[in-house]
PDB file of all heavy atoms in Angstrom:
ATOM      1  N   GLY C   5      53.397   4.819   0.003  1.00 77.00           N
ATOM      2  CA  GLY C   5      51.943   4.795   0.152  1.00 77.00           C
ATOM      3  C   GLY C   5      51.505   3.946   1.322  1.00 77.00           C
ATOM      4  O   GLY C   5      50.560   4.295   2.050  1.00 77.00           O
ATOM      5  N   ALA C   6      52.210   2.868   1.546  1.00 79.00           N
ATOM      6  CA  ALA C   6      51.860   1.982   2.666  1.00 79.00           C
ATOM      7  C   ALA C   6      52.071   2.686   3.994  1.00 79.00           C
ATOM      8  O   ALA C   6      51.262   2.541   4.919  1.00 79.00           O
ATOM      9  CB  ALA C   6      52.701   0.719   2.593  1.00 79.00           C
ATOM     10  N   ALA C   9      49.265   5.099   4.524  1.00 84.00           N
ATOM     11  CA  ALA C   9      48.053   4.356   4.897  1.00 84.00           C
ATOM     12  C   ALA C   9      48.122   3.928   6.350  1.00 84.00           C
ATOM     13  O   ALA C   9      47.133   4.025   7.088  1.00 84.00           O
ATOM     14  CB  ALA C   9      47.910   3.135   3.984  1.00 84.00           C
ATOM     15  N   ARG C  10      49.289   3.473   6.757  1.00 86.00           N
ATOM     16  CA  ARG C  10      49.451   3.047   8.162  1.00 86.00           C
ATOM     17  C   ARG C  10      49.224   4.227   9.103  1.00 86.00           C
ATOM     18  O   ARG C  10      48.569   4.094  10.134  1.00 86.00           O
ATOM     19  CB  ARG C  10      50.850   2.472   8.372  1.00 86.00           C
ATOM     20  CG  ARG C  10      50.900   0.993   8.052  1.00 86.00           C
ATOM     21  CD  ARG C  10      52.179   0.344   8.537  1.00 86.00           C
ATOM     22  NE  ARG C  10      52.497  -0.729   7.627  1.00 86.00           N
ATOM     23  CZ  ARG C  10      53.394  -0.653   6.655  1.00 86.00           C
ATOM     24  NH1 ARG C  10      54.099   0.440   6.485  1.00 86.00           N
ATOM     25  NH2 ARG C  10      53.601  -1.669   5.853  1.00 86.00           N
ATOM     26  N   ASP C  12      47.515   6.964   8.523  1.00 87.00           N
ATOM     27  CA  ASP C  12      46.080   7.328   8.506  1.00 87.00           C
ATOM     28  C   ASP C  12      45.256   6.371   9.365  1.00 87.00           C
ATOM     29  O   ASP C  12      44.383   6.798  10.119  1.00 87.00           O
ATOM     30  CB  ASP C  12      45.559   7.293   7.066  1.00 87.00           C
ATOM     31  CG  ASP C  12      46.047   8.475   6.252  1.00 87.00           C
ATOM     32  OD1 ASP C  12      46.547   9.449   6.877  1.00 87.00           O
ATOM     33  OD2 ASP C  12      45.955   8.435   5.019  1.00 87.00           O
ATOM     34  N   TYR C 171       3.989   7.542  13.498  1.00 84.00           N
ATOM     35  CA  TYR C 171       3.921   7.238  12.069  1.00 84.00           C
ATOM     36  C   TYR C 171       5.169   6.441  11.709  1.00 84.00           C
ATOM     37  O   TYR C 171       6.267   7.006  11.757  1.00 84.00           O
ATOM     38  CB  TYR C 171       3.849   8.527  11.255  1.00 84.00           C
ATOM     39  CG  TYR C 171       2.655   9.380  11.613  1.00 84.00           C
ATOM     40  CD1 TYR C 171       2.743  10.334  12.614  1.00 84.00           C
ATOM     41  CD2 TYR C 171       1.446   9.204  10.961  1.00 84.00           C
ATOM     42  CE1 TYR C 171       1.648  11.100  12.966  1.00 84.00           C
ATOM     43  CE2 TYR C 171       0.352   9.966  11.300  1.00 84.00           C
ATOM     44  CZ  TYR C 171       0.460  10.916  12.302  1.00 84.00           C
ATOM     45  OH  TYR C 171      -0.620  11.665  12.648  1.00 84.00           O
ATOM     46  N   PRO C 172       4.999   5.167  11.417  1.00 83.00           N
ATOM     47  CA  PRO C 172       6.195   4.370  11.097  1.00 83.00           C
ATOM     48  C   PRO C 172       6.950   4.964   9.921  1.00 83.00           C
ATOM     49  O   PRO C 172       6.343   5.467   8.966  1.00 83.00           O
ATOM     50  CB  PRO C 172       5.615   3.009  10.722  1.00 83.00           C
ATOM     51  CG  PRO C 172       4.249   2.987  11.275  1.00 83.00           C
ATOM     52  CD  PRO C 172       3.764   4.399  11.303  1.00 83.00           C
ATOM     53  N   VAL C 225      39.660   8.499   4.838  1.00 90.00           N
ATOM     54  CA  VAL C 225      40.501   7.336   5.184  1.00 90.00           C
ATOM     55  C   VAL C 225      39.671   6.049   5.079  1.00 90.00           C
ATOM     56  O   VAL C 225      40.121   5.054   4.513  1.00 90.00           O
ATOM     57  CB  VAL C 225      41.064   7.508   6.615  1.00 90.00           C
ATOM     58  CG1 VAL C 225      41.718   6.215   7.095  1.00 90.00           C
ATOM     59  CG2 VAL C 225      42.070   8.640   6.643  1.00 90.00           C
ATOM     60  N   GLY C 228      39.073   4.883   1.671  1.00 88.00           N
ATOM     61  CA  GLY C 228      40.264   4.391   0.979  1.00 88.00           C
ATOM     62  C   GLY C 228      40.572   2.935   1.224  1.00 88.00           C
ATOM     63  O   GLY C 228      41.391   2.342   0.532  1.00 88.00           O
ATOM     64  N   PRO C 230      40.600  -0.795   0.830  1.00 90.00           N
ATOM     65  CA  PRO C 230      40.163  -1.637  -0.289  1.00 90.00           C
ATOM     66  C   PRO C 230      39.344  -2.836   0.179  1.00 90.00           C
ATOM     67  O   PRO C 230      39.447  -3.254   1.331  1.00 90.00           O
ATOM     68  CB  PRO C 230      41.477  -2.103  -0.908  1.00 90.00           C
ATOM     69  CG  PRO C 230      42.448  -2.080   0.207  1.00 90.00           C
ATOM     70  CD  PRO C 230      42.024  -1.004   1.155  1.00 90.00           C
ATOM     71  N   VAL C 231      38.529  -3.343  -0.742  1.00 90.00           N
ATOM     72  CA  VAL C 231      37.679  -4.498  -0.427  1.00 90.00           C
ATOM     73  C   VAL C 231      38.061  -5.649  -1.357  1.00 90.00           C
ATOM     74  O   VAL C 231      37.905  -5.529  -2.572  1.00 90.00           O
ATOM     75  CB  VAL C 231      36.183  -4.156  -0.617  1.00 90.00           C
ATOM     76  CG1 VAL C 231      35.311  -5.327  -0.179  1.00 90.00           C
ATOM     77  CG2 VAL C 231      35.814  -2.913   0.143  1.00 90.00           C
ATOM     78  N   PRO C 232      38.570  -6.736  -0.827  1.00 90.00           N
ATOM     79  CA  PRO C 232      38.866  -7.889  -1.685  1.00 90.00           C
ATOM     80  C   PRO C 232      37.570  -8.504  -2.232  1.00 90.00           C
ATOM     81  O   PRO C 232      36.489  -8.323  -1.658  1.00 90.00           O
ATOM     82  CB  PRO C 232      39.560  -8.877  -0.746  1.00 90.00           C
ATOM     83  CG  PRO C 232      39.868  -8.134   0.488  1.00 90.00           C
ATOM     84  CD  PRO C 232      38.937  -6.988   0.564  1.00 90.00           C
ATOM     85  N   ASP C 233      37.735  -9.257  -3.323  1.00 89.00           N
ATOM     86  CA  ASP C 233      36.555  -9.841  -3.981  1.00 89.00           C
ATOM     87  C   ASP C 233      35.791 -10.777  -3.055  1.00 89.00           C
ATOM     88  O   ASP C 233      34.571 -10.881  -3.143  1.00 89.00           O
ATOM     89  CB  ASP C 233      36.992 -10.618  -5.227  1.00 89.00           C
ATOM     90  CG  ASP C 233      37.379  -9.674  -6.337  1.00 89.00           C
ATOM     91  OD1 ASP C 233      37.019  -8.484  -6.241  1.00 89.00           O
ATOM     92  OD2 ASP C 233      38.062 -10.109  -7.283  1.00 89.00           O
ATOM     93  N   ARG C 234      36.525 -11.461  -2.203  1.00 88.00           N
ATOM     94  CA  ARG C 234      35.861 -12.438  -1.337  1.00 88.00           C
ATOM     95  C   ARG C 234      34.835 -11.757  -0.427  1.00 88.00           C
ATOM     96  O   ARG C 234      33.685 -12.186  -0.334  1.00 88.00           O
ATOM     97  CB  ARG C 234      36.928 -13.145  -0.491  1.00 88.00           C
ATOM     98  CG  ARG C 234      36.430 -14.386   0.172  1.00 88.00           C
ATOM     99  CD  ARG C 234      37.531 -15.031   0.981  1.00 88.00           C
ATOM    100  NE  ARG C 234      37.092 -16.305   1.499  1.00 88.00           N
ATOM    101  CZ  ARG C 234      37.470 -16.794   2.665  1.00 88.00           C
ATOM    102  NH1 ARG C 234      38.302 -16.121   3.420  1.00 88.00           N
ATOM    103  NH2 ARG C 234      37.034 -17.963   3.073  1.00 88.00           N
ATOM    104  N   GLY C 285      42.781  -3.036  12.937  1.00 87.00           N
ATOM    105  CA  GLY C 285      44.177  -2.913  12.564  1.00 87.00           C
ATOM    106  C   GLY C 285      44.506  -3.563  11.234  1.00 87.00           C
ATOM    107  O   GLY C 285      45.655  -3.926  10.990  1.00 87.00           O
ATOM    108  N   ARG C 286      43.523  -3.703  10.397  1.00 88.00           N
ATOM    109  CA  ARG C 286      43.752  -4.294   9.074  1.00 88.00           C
ATOM    110  C   ARG C 286      43.581  -3.231   7.999  1.00 88.00           C
ATOM    111  O   ARG C 286      42.997  -2.166   8.246  1.00 88.00           O
ATOM    112  CB  ARG C 286      42.779  -5.453   8.841  1.00 88.00           C
ATOM    113  CG  ARG C 286      43.223  -6.733   9.513  1.00 88.00           C
ATOM    114  CD  ARG C 286      42.265  -7.868   9.272  1.00 88.00           C
ATOM    115  NE  ARG C 286      41.169  -7.841  10.224  1.00 88.00           N
ATOM    116  CZ  ARG C 286      39.929  -7.522   9.928  1.00 88.00           C
ATOM    117  NH1 ARG C 286      39.612  -7.171   8.702  1.00 88.00           N
ATOM    118  NH2 ARG C 286      39.003  -7.534  10.845  1.00 88.00           N
ATOM    119  N   PHE C 287      44.038  -3.567   6.809  1.00 89.00           N
ATOM    120  CA  PHE C 287      43.985  -2.591   5.711  1.00 89.00           C
ATOM    121  C   PHE C 287      43.068  -3.043   4.583  1.00 89.00           C
ATOM    122  O   PHE C 287      43.067  -2.438   3.518  1.00 89.00           O
ATOM    123  CB  PHE C 287      45.402  -2.340   5.177  1.00 89.00           C
ATOM    124  CG  PHE C 287      46.319  -1.830   6.230  1.00 89.00           C
ATOM    125  CD1 PHE C 287      47.150  -2.695   6.930  1.00 89.00           C
ATOM    126  CD2 PHE C 287      46.336  -0.490   6.564  1.00 89.00           C
ATOM    127  CE1 PHE C 287      47.979  -2.236   7.922  1.00 89.00           C
ATOM    128  CE2 PHE C 287      47.176  -0.014   7.562  1.00 89.00           C
ATOM    129  CZ  PHE C 287      47.995  -0.899   8.253  1.00 89.00           C
ATOM    130  N   ALA C 288      42.351  -4.085   4.819  1.00 89.00           N
ATOM    131  CA  ALA C 288      41.379  -4.560   3.826  1.00 89.00           C
ATOM    132  C   ALA C 288      40.203  -5.172   4.565  1.00 89.00           C
ATOM    133  O   ALA C 288      40.360  -5.706   5.676  1.00 89.00           O
ATOM    134  CB  ALA C 288      42.023  -5.602   2.916  1.00 89.00           C
ATOM    135  N   ALA C 290      37.469  -7.753   5.584  1.00 90.00           N
ATOM    136  CA  ALA C 290      37.385  -9.211   5.618  1.00 90.00           C
ATOM    137  C   ALA C 290      35.926  -9.639   5.723  1.00 90.00           C
ATOM    138  O   ALA C 290      35.045  -8.829   6.032  1.00 90.00           O
ATOM    139  CB  ALA C 290      38.166  -9.734   6.811  1.00 90.00           C
ATOM    140  N   VAL C 291      35.719 -10.920   5.480  1.00 90.00           N
ATOM    141  CA  VAL C 291      34.353 -11.472   5.581  1.00 90.00           C
ATOM    142  C   VAL C 291      33.814 -11.294   7.004  1.00 90.00           C
ATOM    143  O   VAL C 291      32.629 -11.011   7.206  1.00 90.00           O
ATOM    144  CB  VAL C 291      34.382 -12.962   5.175  1.00 90.00           C
ATOM    145  CG1 VAL C 291      33.091 -13.648   5.548  1.00 90.00           C
ATOM    146  CG2 VAL C 291      34.627 -13.094   3.683  1.00 90.00           C
ATOM    147  N   ASP C 292      34.715 -11.436   7.967  1.00 89.00           N
ATOM    148  CA  ASP C 292      34.290 -11.278   9.367  1.00 89.00           C
ATOM    149  C   ASP C 292      33.768  -9.865   9.646  1.00 89.00           C
ATOM    150  O   ASP C 292      32.858  -9.685  10.467  1.00 89.00           O
ATOM    151  CB  ASP C 292      35.467 -11.570  10.307  1.00 89.00           C
ATOM    152  CG  ASP C 292      35.849 -13.033  10.274  1.00 89.00           C
ATOM    153  OD1 ASP C 292      35.037 -13.829   9.792  1.00 89.00           O
ATOM    154  OD2 ASP C 292      36.961 -13.373  10.725  1.00 89.00           O
ATOM    155  N   PHE C 310       3.124 -10.526   6.392  1.00 85.00           N
ATOM    156  CA  PHE C 310       2.103 -10.796   7.412  1.00 85.00           C
ATOM    157  C   PHE C 310       2.295 -12.170   8.049  1.00 85.00           C
ATOM    158  O   PHE C 310       2.059 -12.343   9.241  1.00 85.00           O
ATOM    159  CB  PHE C 310       0.707 -10.692   6.795  1.00 85.00           C
ATOM    160  CG  PHE C 310       0.329  -9.280   6.492  1.00 85.00           C
ATOM    161  CD1 PHE C 310       0.019  -8.899   5.215  1.00 85.00           C
ATOM    162  CD2 PHE C 310       0.299  -8.330   7.494  1.00 85.00           C
ATOM    163  CE1 PHE C 310      -0.321  -7.582   4.924  1.00 85.00           C
ATOM    164  CE2 PHE C 310      -0.035  -7.020   7.223  1.00 85.00           C
ATOM    165  CZ  PHE C 310      -0.345  -6.647   5.932  1.00 85.00           C
ATOM    166  N   SER C 334      34.907 -18.719  -2.006  1.00 74.00           N
ATOM    167  CA  SER C 334      36.362 -18.937  -1.858  1.00 74.00           C
ATOM    168  C   SER C 334      37.125 -18.055  -2.855  1.00 74.00           C
ATOM    169  O   SER C 334      36.578 -17.589  -3.837  1.00 74.00           O
ATOM    170  CB  SER C 334      36.690 -20.394  -2.084  1.00 74.00           C
ATOM    171  OG  SER C 334      36.229 -20.793  -3.348  1.00 74.00           O
TER     172      SER C 334
ATOM    173  N   ARG H  93      43.973 -19.867  -4.437  1.00 80.00           N
ATOM    174  CA  ARG H  93      43.032 -18.982  -3.732  1.00 80.00           C
ATOM    175  C   ARG H  93      42.251 -19.751  -2.669  1.00 80.00           C
ATOM    176  O   ARG H  93      42.078 -19.278  -1.548  1.00 80.00           O
ATOM    177  CB  ARG H  93      42.065 -18.425  -4.788  1.00 80.00           C
ATOM    178  CG  ARG H  93      41.314 -17.198  -4.390  1.00 80.00           C
ATOM    179  CD  ARG H  93      40.298 -16.940  -5.492  1.00 80.00           C
ATOM    180  NE  ARG H  93      39.324 -15.962  -5.083  1.00 80.00           N
ATOM    181  CZ  ARG H  93      39.357 -14.701  -5.432  1.00 80.00           C
ATOM    182  NH1 ARG H  93      40.327 -14.253  -6.204  1.00 80.00           N
ATOM    183  NH2 ARG H  93      38.420 -13.877  -5.026  1.00 80.00           N
ATOM    184  N   GLU H  94      41.812 -20.962  -3.063  1.00 80.00           N
ATOM    185  CA  GLU H  94      41.075 -21.798  -2.108  1.00 80.00           C
ATOM    186  C   GLU H  94      41.963 -22.175  -0.932  1.00 80.00           C
ATOM    187  O   GLU H  94      41.529 -22.184   0.222  1.00 80.00           O
ATOM    188  CB  GLU H  94      40.589 -23.073  -2.801  1.00 80.00           C
ATOM    189  CG  GLU H  94      39.344 -22.884  -3.633  1.00 80.00           C
ATOM    190  CD  GLU H  94      38.970 -24.149  -4.362  1.00 80.00           C
ATOM    191  OE1 GLU H  94      39.757 -24.585  -5.233  1.00 80.00           O
ATOM    192  OE2 GLU H  94      37.918 -24.703  -4.055  1.00 80.00           O
ATOM    193  N   ALA H  97      42.376 -19.218   1.331  1.00 83.00           N
ATOM    194  CA  ALA H  97      41.126 -18.977   2.073  1.00 83.00           C
ATOM    195  C   ALA H  97      40.988 -19.967   3.212  1.00 83.00           C
ATOM    196  O   ALA H  97      40.565 -19.610   4.319  1.00 83.00           O
ATOM    197  CB  ALA H  97      39.937 -19.089   1.133  1.00 83.00           C
ATOM    198  N   ASP H 101      40.861 -19.083   7.189  1.00 80.00           N
ATOM    199  CA  ASP H 101      39.790 -19.531   8.085  1.00 80.00           C
ATOM    200  C   ASP H 101      40.353 -20.342   9.253  1.00 80.00           C
ATOM    201  O   ASP H 101      39.920 -20.164  10.403  1.00 80.00           O
ATOM    202  CB  ASP H 101      38.772 -20.386   7.305  1.00 80.00           C
ATOM    203  CG  ASP H 101      37.986 -19.541   6.329  1.00 80.00           C
ATOM    204  OD1 ASP H 101      37.979 -18.310   6.501  1.00 80.00           O
ATOM    205  OD2 ASP H 101      37.384 -20.101   5.388  1.00 80.00           O
ATOM    206  N   ALA H 106      41.550 -13.436   9.272  1.00 79.00           N
ATOM    207  CA  ALA H 106      40.635 -12.408   8.754  1.00 79.00           C
ATOM    208  C   ALA H 106      40.976 -12.028   7.306  1.00 79.00           C
ATOM    209  O   ALA H 106      41.154 -10.844   6.983  1.00 79.00           O
ATOM    210  CB  ALA H 106      40.624 -11.187   9.652  1.00 79.00           C
ATOM    211  N   ASP H 107      41.090 -13.022   6.464  1.00 83.00           N
ATOM    212  CA  ASP H 107      41.284 -12.849   5.004  1.00 83.00           C
ATOM    213  C   ASP H 107      42.570 -12.094   4.659  1.00 83.00           C
ATOM    214  O   ASP H 107      42.657 -11.501   3.580  1.00 83.00           O
ATOM    215  CB  ASP H 107      40.083 -12.111   4.382  1.00 83.00           C
ATOM    216  CG  ASP H 107      38.803 -12.880   4.543  1.00 83.00           C
ATOM    217  OD1 ASP H 107      38.863 -14.011   5.063  1.00 83.00           O
ATOM    218  OD2 ASP H 107      37.746 -12.368   4.152  1.00 83.00           O
ATOM    219  N   ARG H 108      43.551 -12.110   5.536  1.00 83.00           N
ATOM    220  CA  ARG H 108      44.788 -11.357   5.235  1.00 83.00           C
ATOM    221  C   ARG H 108      45.506 -11.959   4.026  1.00 83.00           C
ATOM    222  O   ARG H 108      45.973 -11.230   3.156  1.00 83.00           O
ATOM    223  CB  ARG H 108      45.704 -11.370   6.452  1.00 83.00           C
ATOM    224  CG  ARG H 108      45.357 -10.313   7.481  1.00 83.00           C
ATOM    225  CD  ARG H 108      46.439 -10.261   8.553  1.00 83.00           C
ATOM    226  NE  ARG H 108      46.253  -9.131   9.432  1.00 83.00           N
ATOM    227  CZ  ARG H 108      45.519  -9.159  10.539  1.00 83.00           C
ATOM    228  NH1 ARG H 108      44.883 -10.257  10.880  1.00 83.00           N
ATOM    229  NH2 ARG H 108      45.405  -8.083  11.310  1.00 83.00           N
ATOM    230  N   ALA H 111      43.441 -11.574   0.693  1.00 85.00           N
ATOM    231  CA  ALA H 111      43.450 -10.175   0.260  1.00 85.00           C
ATOM    232  C   ALA H 111      44.808  -9.821  -0.342  1.00 85.00           C
ATOM    233  O   ALA H 111      44.892  -9.185  -1.401  1.00 85.00           O
ATOM    234  CB  ALA H 111      43.141  -9.266   1.447  1.00 85.00           C
ATOM    235  N   GLU H 114      45.206 -11.334  -3.733  1.00 83.00           N
ATOM    236  CA  GLU H 114      44.400 -10.616  -4.729  1.00 83.00           C
ATOM    237  C   GLU H 114      45.049  -9.276  -5.081  1.00 83.00           C
ATOM    238  O   GLU H 114      45.144  -8.907  -6.257  1.00 83.00           O
ATOM    239  CB  GLU H 114      43.000 -10.392  -4.180  1.00 83.00           C
ATOM    240  CG  GLU H 114      42.056  -9.806  -5.206  1.00 83.00           C
ATOM    241  CD  GLU H 114      40.708  -9.479  -4.617  1.00 83.00           C
ATOM    242  OE1 GLU H 114      40.241 -10.232  -3.734  1.00 83.00           O
ATOM    243  OE2 GLU H 114      40.115  -8.473  -5.033  1.00 83.00           O
ATOM    244  N   PHE H 115      45.529  -8.568  -4.075  1.00 84.00           N
ATOM    245  CA  PHE H 115      46.132  -7.254  -4.337  1.00 84.00           C
ATOM    246  C   PHE H 115      47.449  -7.387  -5.111  1.00 84.00           C
ATOM    247  O   PHE H 115      47.813  -6.502  -5.890  1.00 84.00           O
ATOM    248  CB  PHE H 115      46.364  -6.505  -3.026  1.00 84.00           C
ATOM    249  CG  PHE H 115      45.104  -6.169  -2.285  1.00 84.00           C
ATOM    250  CD1 PHE H 115      45.087  -6.039  -0.899  1.00 84.00           C
ATOM    251  CD2 PHE H 115      43.897  -5.990  -2.971  1.00 84.00           C
ATOM    252  CE1 PHE H 115      43.921  -5.739  -0.216  1.00 84.00           C
ATOM    253  CE2 PHE H 115      42.733  -5.689  -2.288  1.00 84.00           C
ATOM    254  CZ  PHE H 115      42.736  -5.570  -0.914  1.00 84.00           C
ATOM    255  N   ARG H 118      47.007  -7.270  -8.806  1.00 81.00           N
ATOM    256  CA  ARG H 118      46.538  -6.028  -9.442  1.00 81.00           C
ATOM    257  C   ARG H 118      47.722  -5.195  -9.923  1.00 81.00           C
ATOM    258  O   ARG H 118      48.748  -5.117  -9.231  1.00 81.00           O
ATOM    259  CB  ARG H 118      45.699  -5.218  -8.455  1.00 81.00           C
ATOM    260  CG  ARG H 118      44.395  -5.923  -8.120  1.00 81.00           C
ATOM    261  CD  ARG H 118      43.497  -5.021  -7.340  1.00 81.00           C
ATOM    262  NE  ARG H 118      42.304  -5.747  -6.889  1.00 81.00           N
ATOM    263  CZ  ARG H 118      41.349  -5.225  -6.152  1.00 81.00           C
ATOM    264  NH1 ARG H 118      41.425  -3.974  -5.776  1.00 81.00           N
ATOM    265  NH2 ARG H 118      40.305  -5.937  -5.794  1.00 81.00           N
ATOM    266  N   GLY H 123      48.001   2.708  -1.437  1.00 84.00           N
ATOM    267  CA  GLY H 123      48.797   2.576  -0.226  1.00 84.00           C
ATOM    268  C   GLY H 123      48.230   1.526   0.712  1.00 84.00           C
ATOM    269  O   GLY H 123      48.968   0.778   1.359  1.00 84.00           O
ATOM    270  N   TYR H 124      46.899   1.490   0.790  1.00 86.00           N
ATOM    271  CA  TYR H 124      46.257   0.512   1.674  1.00 86.00           C
ATOM    272  C   TYR H 124      46.510  -0.912   1.192  1.00 86.00           C
ATOM    273  O   TYR H 124      46.706  -1.824   1.999  1.00 86.00           O
ATOM    274  CB  TYR H 124      44.747   0.767   1.743  1.00 86.00           C
ATOM    275  CG  TYR H 124      44.421   1.985   2.545  1.00 86.00           C
ATOM    276  CD1 TYR H 124      44.213   3.210   1.932  1.00 86.00           C
ATOM    277  CD2 TYR H 124      44.356   1.926   3.930  1.00 86.00           C
ATOM    278  CE1 TYR H 124      43.942   4.343   2.662  1.00 86.00           C
ATOM    279  CE2 TYR H 124      44.074   3.047   4.676  1.00 86.00           C
ATOM    280  CZ  TYR H 124      43.868   4.257   4.044  1.00 86.00           C
ATOM    281  OH  TYR H 124      43.602   5.365   4.784  1.00 86.00           O
ATOM    282  N   MET H 125      46.544  -1.093  -0.124  1.00 86.00           N
ATOM    283  CA  MET H 125      46.798  -2.426  -0.663  1.00 86.00           C
ATOM    284  C   MET H 125      48.232  -2.848  -0.344  1.00 86.00           C
ATOM    285  O   MET H 125      48.476  -3.990   0.056  1.00 86.00           O
ATOM    286  CB  MET H 125      46.560  -2.444  -2.170  1.00 86.00           C
ATOM    287  CG  MET H 125      45.093  -2.341  -2.550  1.00 86.00           C
ATOM    288  SD  MET H 125      44.895  -2.340  -4.311  1.00 86.00           S
ATOM    289  CE  MET H 125      43.160  -2.024  -4.452  1.00 86.00           C
ATOM    290  N   GLU H 126      49.145  -1.898  -0.503  1.00 82.00           N
ATOM    291  CA  GLU H 126      50.540  -2.199  -0.166  1.00 82.00           C
ATOM    292  C   GLU H 126      50.651  -2.544   1.316  1.00 82.00           C
ATOM    293  O   GLU H 126      51.361  -3.487   1.692  1.00 82.00           O
ATOM    294  CB  GLU H 126      51.437  -0.983  -0.480  1.00 82.00           C
ATOM    295  CG  GLU H 126      51.540  -0.636  -1.963  1.00 82.00           C
ATOM    296  CD  GLU H 126      52.386  -1.623  -2.742  1.00 82.00           C
ATOM    297  OE1 GLU H 126      52.973  -2.525  -2.111  1.00 82.00           O
ATOM    298  OE2 GLU H 126      52.450  -1.501  -3.976  1.00 82.00           O
ATOM    299  N   ALA H 127      49.943  -1.767   2.116  1.00 85.00           N
ATOM    300  CA  ALA H 127      49.964  -2.020   3.554  1.00 85.00           C
ATOM    301  C   ALA H 127      49.371  -3.381   3.879  1.00 85.00           C
ATOM    302  O   ALA H 127      49.875  -4.095   4.763  1.00 85.00           O
ATOM    303  CB  ALA H 127      49.197  -0.925   4.278  1.00 85.00           C
ATOM    304  N   ALA H 128      48.319  -3.744   3.159  1.00 85.00           N
ATOM    305  CA  ALA H 128      47.677  -5.053   3.382  1.00 85.00           C
ATOM    306  C   ALA H 128      48.628  -6.175   2.979  1.00 85.00           C
ATOM    307  O   ALA H 128      48.708  -7.206   3.677  1.00 85.00           O
ATOM    308  CB  ALA H 128      46.385  -5.135   2.583  1.00 85.00           C
ATOM    309  N   ALA H 130      51.906  -5.994   2.932  1.00 82.00           N
ATOM    310  CA  ALA H 130      52.969  -6.018   3.951  1.00 82.00           C
ATOM    311  C   ALA H 130      52.471  -6.686   5.227  1.00 82.00           C
ATOM    312  O   ALA H 130      53.207  -7.447   5.873  1.00 82.00           O
ATOM    313  CB  ALA H 130      53.429  -4.596   4.236  1.00 82.00           C
ATOM    314  N   ARG H 408      -3.728  10.542   6.183  1.00 57.00           N
ATOM    315  CA  ARG H 408      -2.321  10.148   6.172  1.00 57.00           C
ATOM    316  C   ARG H 408      -1.967   9.481   7.484  1.00 57.00           C
ATOM    317  O   ARG H 408      -2.427   9.888   8.533  1.00 57.00           O
ATOM    318  CB  ARG H 408      -1.418  11.353   5.974  1.00 57.00           C
ATOM    319  CG  ARG H 408      -1.549  11.953   4.615  1.00 57.00           C
ATOM    320  CD  ARG H 408      -0.481  12.968   4.397  1.00 57.00           C
ATOM    321  NE  ARG H 408      -0.614  13.579   3.097  1.00 57.00           N
ATOM    322  CZ  ARG H 408      -1.378  14.626   2.845  1.00 57.00           C
ATOM    323  NH1 ARG H 408      -2.072  15.144   3.834  1.00 57.00           N
ATOM    324  NH2 ARG H 408      -1.456  15.133   1.643  1.00 57.00           N
ATOM    325  N   GLY H 409      -1.147   8.506   7.373  1.00 58.00           N
ATOM    326  CA  GLY H 409      -0.610   7.911   8.578  1.00 58.00           C
ATOM    327  C   GLY H 409      -1.585   7.056   9.350  1.00 58.00           C
ATOM    328  O   GLY H 409      -1.319   6.708  10.479  1.00 58.00           O
ATOM    329  N   VAL H 414      -0.691   1.586   6.406  1.00 59.00           N
ATOM    330  CA  VAL H 414       0.350   0.638   6.785  1.00 59.00           C
ATOM    331  C   VAL H 414      -0.091  -0.781   6.475  1.00 59.00           C
ATOM    332  O   VAL H 414       0.646  -1.572   5.895  1.00 59.00           O
ATOM    333  CB  VAL H 414       0.658   0.785   8.290  1.00 59.00           C
ATOM    334  CG1 VAL H 414       1.781  -0.152   8.683  1.00 59.00           C
ATOM    335  CG2 VAL H 414       1.007   2.201   8.619  1.00 59.00           C
ATOM    336  N   LEU H 415      -1.330  -1.080   6.845  1.00 60.00           N
ATOM    337  CA  LEU H 415      -1.785  -2.467   6.726  1.00 60.00           C
ATOM    338  C   LEU H 415      -2.346  -2.766   5.346  1.00 60.00           C
ATOM    339  O   LEU H 415      -2.568  -3.921   5.017  1.00 60.00           O
ATOM    340  CB  LEU H 415      -2.861  -2.739   7.771  1.00 60.00           C
ATOM    341  CG  LEU H 415      -2.396  -2.563   9.213  1.00 60.00           C
ATOM    342  CD1 LEU H 415      -3.558  -2.673  10.153  1.00 60.00           C
ATOM    343  CD2 LEU H 415      -1.360  -3.627   9.552  1.00 60.00           C
TER     344      LEU H 415
END
Side-chain angles (χ1 to χ4, degrees):
Chain C
R10 273 193 211 100
D12 286 345
Y171 301 90
V225 169
V231 185
D233 286 344
R234 195 180 186 214
R286 280 180 276 109
F287 301 96
V291 167
D292 292 344
F310 288 121
S334 57
Chain H
R93 199 187 167 100
E94 280 176 295
D101 291 342
D107 298 356
R108 277 188 171 89
E114 187 185 324
F115 296 152
R118 293 189 186 178
Y124 287 96
M125 289 179 186
E126 294 287 355
R408 292 190 181 87
V414 182
L415 299 173

